[in-house]
Amino acid sequence: MKTYGSEPGAPEPVQVGISEFVVRGRDAEDTLKSYGLGSCLAVALWDPDSGIGGLAHVMLPDGDAADGADEKPGKYADTAIRAMLRRMVEKGAAYTSVEAKIAGGSDMFEFESFGDGVGDRNAVAAIEELDKLGVPIVAEDTGGQRGRTVEFDTSTGTLTVRTADGDHGVVEL
Amino acid sequence: MKLDIKALGTFYEMAREGAGLAAGRLTRMTGVETRVGVTKLNFMRGSEIHKEFDDGRDKVGVRVELSDGIDGHSVIVFDRQSALRVVSTLLSEAGEEFDDMSRSAVTEVGQIMNAGFIDGWADVLETAIDIETPEFVEGSTAQEFIGDLEEAPDAEDFALVFQSRIEAVDTEIEFQHYLFPERQSMADVLERHRDPNSVGIEYDKLAGFDEMAKQGAKEVASNITTLTGIETEVEVRKLNFASLEAIPEEIDDEMLVGVAFELDGNPSGYLLFLFDEPSAREVVEATVPSPPEDEFGELGVSAIKELGNIMASGFIDGWANVLGTTIDHSPPEYIHDYGAAVIDPVVIQLGEDQEFAFVFDTVMRANDREFDCSIYAIPNQADLERALNELDVEKVADAETKADVSIDELENA
């Protein structure tokens, strides 16, 4: 596994902040990274044939029902997935070979106002949207009560998930 | 002057747009890849601005006076090392001192960036803004940079300050940008961009509430001292207006230990107390009679939750007293996780109904040991608006004249 930050000259991962998504080609030397996802969800899409991939860091489930999703498609699970997929296809990815990995969507607080859980709502929305678009989910690490930091390597399609919880440590999806 | 969420949202968009343009121009000029950090609208007292500025580091800045579309001053502040690095990208022979050449190089960069911000604002506000000649400023305290600006607030004055951070991706260059708008000019812009159907928040009520909330923060500091024996004080206290997604981005990536509460009442919302790990260990060691080996085991967790409970009561009582409302809080939820992950569930829940939030941001410090506690109180926006509009102005005015009197004394007066 590549480690970044410790090797001199290794490129810093590109940060994908909340409500953002970033698409990269196979030759990209840098990885895509989202820090400290709690109830937010990371959606990684990858086309193994062209090596084109993208990472979205979504905050809310339903953009179709919200105002302003046009301006910030990356904020919502449904609109982020569609916008990222479109961008990937524009760059040369084949729609039918794209696959998805998702991580995050924890529910760390049991507050009354949270209802069924804000993290769960994000994961469900992403799964539904991917299903609608016919994009298979090949791996997922969602739910629970711990935060995650994810790093997506578009040269291999590996999504590395770190949890703050010592028991689980690092998982490669 | 009325603060309207839509108009403040326009201000926010303006600050972000400006920061983006300024970062792009810095990159074009120096070849350094940059990104825009957090952008915020801060409602701050002059004394807090000075505290934030006076971190002991040497700085250089470039400031310009604005007029027409918006009156005020736009100030770019680099720490000295960052400024020297920028100069080194432009001049082949750059030294460690600011000679005429490097001064003029920094002024040039600063001016191009100021112009970037201003073009962004003018775009969003759909107006022209005039810029005067830039001035180069050097020093380490706020006095040198903003001491002589009329629109920079006096110690006790409450002012809206725009703040953005831009940082270089691979090198250690970062700087802050401040916009100090002149009050009347800001009021005019706010008025022009307001939503005619919204009630808005009276600026003076927000200022009054903030003044009183200070007492709540002091109360929390004294509760910590009573329970733990750790002498703490309020280090920074400000009220931000920011887009919800900017809130987790501002929190460090390090592991945090915290206690979160859900508030129910007027206003409802969320309250979080966050410690870095060394500070949380201090809390456990100071409160548990024979400290356990694992500070974050069962004993430690219950000690931290207990402290959280007491701090929450102090804080919320402060608010409820000023607003004349009842606010209940949920049992404490303990959390030990990555910084951003601690706060994003709250942001997401609020995000169902609002795009922006007022964040009451307080930092507590101890003088004699490692103890950092950040407090984030994020009320539901509609509730806050309602509660503030129902706020009795006379009580606020009365309270302001007795700024050093505690809430208990006021209540009993």
Side-chain angles (χ1 to χ4, degrees):
Chain A
M1 198 186 75
K2 270 187 191 170
T3 40
Y4 288 103
S6 51
E7 313 165 42
E12 292 265 316
V14 172
Q15 278 190 52
V16 183
I18 297 187
S19 298
E20 292 176 355
F21 68 86
V22 176
V23 170
R24 280 285 188 274
R26 188 198 288 276
D27 299 334
E29 285 180 4
D30 44 7
T31 56
L32 306 176
K33 190 164 185 174
S34 286
Y35 289 97
L37 301 150
S39 299
C40 284
L41 186 77
V43 181
L45 297 183
W46 193 58
D47 169 13
D49 299 334
S50 66
I52 294 167
L55 183 70
H57 182 165
V58 306
M59 174 179 158
L60 289 169
D62 192 354
D64 289 340
D67 296 334
D70 292 349
E71 285 163 33
K72 272 194 210 164
K75 185 170 174 179
Y76 307 92
D78 54 353
T79 51
I81 290 169
R82 291 204 296 266
M84 189 159 64
L85 189 58
R86 199 177 310 127
R87 182 87 54 88
M88 285 168 60
V89 170
E90 280 164 11
K91 278 188 171 248
Y95 186 142
T96 48
S97 49
V98 172
E99 49 191 43
K101 294 177 181 178
I102 59 174
S106 286
D107 277 304
M108 33 259 290
F109 301 133
E110 289 174 13
F111 291 143
E112 260 181 57
S113 57
F114 282 20
D116 297 339
V118 292
D120 188 51
R121 292 204 289 273
N122 280 332
V124 168
I127 292 168
E128 278 177 8
E129 187 63 30
L130 290 165
D131 183 50
K132 253 191 247 171
L133 296 167
V135 175
I137 299 175
V138 294
E140 67 178 290
D141 178 21
T142 58
Q145 294 186 310
R146 302 308 307 239
R148 296 170 175 88
T149 286
V150 303
E151 192 165 348
F152 187 43
D153 184 342
T154 52
S155 65
T156 60
T158 305
L159 183 68
T160 306
V161 183
R162 287 179 183 79
T163 39
D165 186 342
D167 294 345
H168 297 98
V170 183
V171 186
E172 286 194 0
L173 300 182
Chain B
M1 168 171 34
K2 284 269 188 169
L3 297 170
D4 167 271
I5 303 300
K6 178 177 167 283
L8 285 175
T10 304
F11 266 25
Y12 187 78
E13 192 195 328
M14 157 183 134
R16 245 193 337 205
E17 175 96 16
L21 285 182
R25 290 185 192 179
L26 179 65
T27 297
R28 271 208 297 284
M29 191 168 178
T30 61
V32 174
E33 198 185 335
T34 53
R35 70 171 157 244
V36 178
V38 176
T39 295
K40 277 183 300 193
L41 307 187
N42 289 323
F43 293 90
M44 290 172 91
R45 308 268 158 197
S47 53
E48 301 289 333
I49 298 173
H50 279 254
K51 265 199 248 172
E52 197 176 82
F53 237 90
D54 300 354
D55 57 3
R57 298 191 354 187
D58 288 334
K59 303 175 188 65
V60 297
V62 178
R63 65 179 204 192
V64 287
E65 188 175 353
L66 314 176
S67 58
D68 209 10
I70 194 159
D71 295 349
H73 275 86
S74 169
V75 189
I76 304 265
V77 181
F78 293 93
D79 66 66
R80 200 185 152 84
Q81 285 309 316
S82 288
L84 287 168
R85 280 194 195 98
V86 168
V87 169
S88 72
T89 66
L90 300 172
L91 300 178
S92 50
E93 289 171 28
E96 281 297 298
E97 290 302 318
F98 281 96
D99 55 17
D100 287 349
M101 278 281 268
S102 48
R103 268 172 187 243
S104 83
V106 169
T107 310
E108 174 81 10
V109 172
Q111 179 64 350
I112 282 175
M113 295 178 64
N114 271 319
F117 275 103
I118 292 154
D119 286 349
W121 305 335
D123 276 354
V124 173
L125 299 179
E126 296 174 341
T127 170
I129 300 170
D130 288 341
I131 316 177
E132 302 290 318
T133 318
E135 291 170 74
F136 177 87
V137 194
E138 200 174 354
S140 61
T141 67
Q143 190 55 35
E144 286 110 350
F145 288 85
I146 60 170
D148 57 337
L149 299 187
E150 244 178 60
E151 59 275 12
D154 293 338
E156 285 310 312
D157 278 353
F158 189 68
L160 174 57
V161 183
F162 292 64
Q163 210 178 354
S164 303
R165 201 177 65 196
I166 293 182
E167 55 209 20
V169 176
D170 290 324
T171 36
E172 283 183 24
I173 296 175
E174 67 168 51
F175 67 89
Q176 298 277 349
H177 170 264
Y178 297 87
L179 166 64
F180 297 95
E182 190 266 322
R183 191 180 159 123
Q184 187 53 47
S185 154
M186 177 175 76
D188 294 344
V189 177
L190 280 171
E191 187 58 38
R192 263 203 307 283
H193 290 270
R194 67 177 295 201
D195 171 1
N197 300 316
S198 107
V199 184
I201 295 172
E202 199 61 62
Y203 184 83
D204 292 338
K205 288 194 178 188
L206 190 67
F209 177 60
D210 178 76
E211 178 62 34
M212 294 295 290
K214 193 157 80 180
Q215 298 297 338
K218 278 189 190 160
E219 193 76 9
V220 174
S222 101
N223 288 349
I224 297 174
T225 308
T226 310
L227 196 76
T228 63
I230 303 174
E231 289 282 343
T232 55
E233 55 185 59
V234 179
E235 166 99 358
V236 189
R237 212 177 52 80
K238 53 189 167 184
L239 168 56
N240 305 320
F241 180 84
S243 79
L244 284 171
E245 51 263 50
I247 301 170
E249 305 242 304
E250 193 202 355
I251 295 185
D252 287 343
D253 296 329
E254 61 176 356
M255 292 288 290
L256 296 177
V257 175
V259 187
F261 298 88
E262 175 181 34
L263 307 182
D264 183 21
N266 205 4
S268 64
Y270 303 92
L271 176 62
L272 293 101
F273 297 90
L274 305 179
F275 301 92
D276 54 27
E277 285 182 340
S279 303
R281 286 201 181 92
E282 285 282 349
V283 168
V284 174
E285 277 163 22
T287 47
V288 178
S290 47
E293 230 165 73
D294 173 12
E295 287 96 341
F296 305 128
E298 205 176 319
L299 265 179
V301 169
S302 82
I304 289 167
K305 278 163 95 168
E306 172 66 11
L307 177 65
N309 243 336
I310 289 172
M311 292 195 290
S313 301
F315 197 92
I316 294 165
D317 289 352
W319 277 26
N321 276 336
V322 185
L323 295 169
T325 60
T326 309
I327 306 171
D328 294 325
H329 68 81
S330 67
E333 290 261 347
Y334 174 82
I335 190 160
H336 183 187
D337 217 311
Y338 295 122
V342 169
I343 208 163
D344 85 3
V346 162
V347 162
I348 289 171
Q349 181 59 33
L350 288 166
E352 297 281 340
D353 300 312
Q354 63 193 66
E355 197 180 336
F356 297 98
F358 283 102
V359 183
F360 293 81
D361 180 355
T362 310
V363 178
M364 304 277 180
R365 289 245 156 86
N367 289 327
D368 61 339
R369 65 185 103 185
E370 186 69 36
F371 182 93
D372 267 333
C373 174
S374 299
I375 307 174
Y376 292 87
I378 315 178
N380 171 291
Q381 170 204 306
D383 283 356
L384 180 69
E385 205 165 313
R386 196 172 322 121
L388 284 179
N389 283 321
E390 285 165 13
L391 180 63
D392 181 349
V393 194
E394 291 204 350
K395 192 166 168 184
V396 170
D398 194 30
E400 279 181 334
T401 58
K402 303 179 188 176
D404 288 328
V405 182
S406 80
I407 290 167
D408 290 344
E409 288 171 61
L410 267 178
E411 286 296 297
N412 299 331

